[in-house]
Amino acid sequence: MIRRILLILLVLAVPAGLASASQALADSADPAMGHQPPVLVKLSPVPESAAEKQGQEAQEDAA
């Protein structure tokens, strides 16, 4: 019974230890960055379908 409890504790402790070690390495490898402005992305408008374009071109040609 005690072996099972120790095994469960070991299984739970290993990922926590790996996570904290990984975080410590990440903190020491990458110095803290200052505040960075957000990146803004402009999206292009929705393209018109081919049928709408042909209709517009026909109207422009008729005019």
Side-chain angles (χ1 to χ4, degrees):
M1 182 70 176
I2 293 176
R3 286 184 182 179
R4 286 186 184 177
I5 293 173
L6 291 176
L7 181 61
I8 291 171
L9 290 175
L10 180 65
V11 168
L12 294 175
V14 168
L18 290 175
S20 60
S22 174
Q23 186 63 47
L25 284 173
D27 289 342
S28 64
D30 189 19
M33 295 177 60
H35 175 72
Q36 298 292 322
V39 176
L40 301 177
V41 178
K42 292 185 179 181
L43 301 177
S44 63
V46 177
E48 297 177 13
S49 69
E52 290 175 352
K53 285 185 179 180
Q54 288 177 353
Q56 288 178 355
E57 288 175 357
Q59 287 177 355
E60 290 173 359
D61 290 340

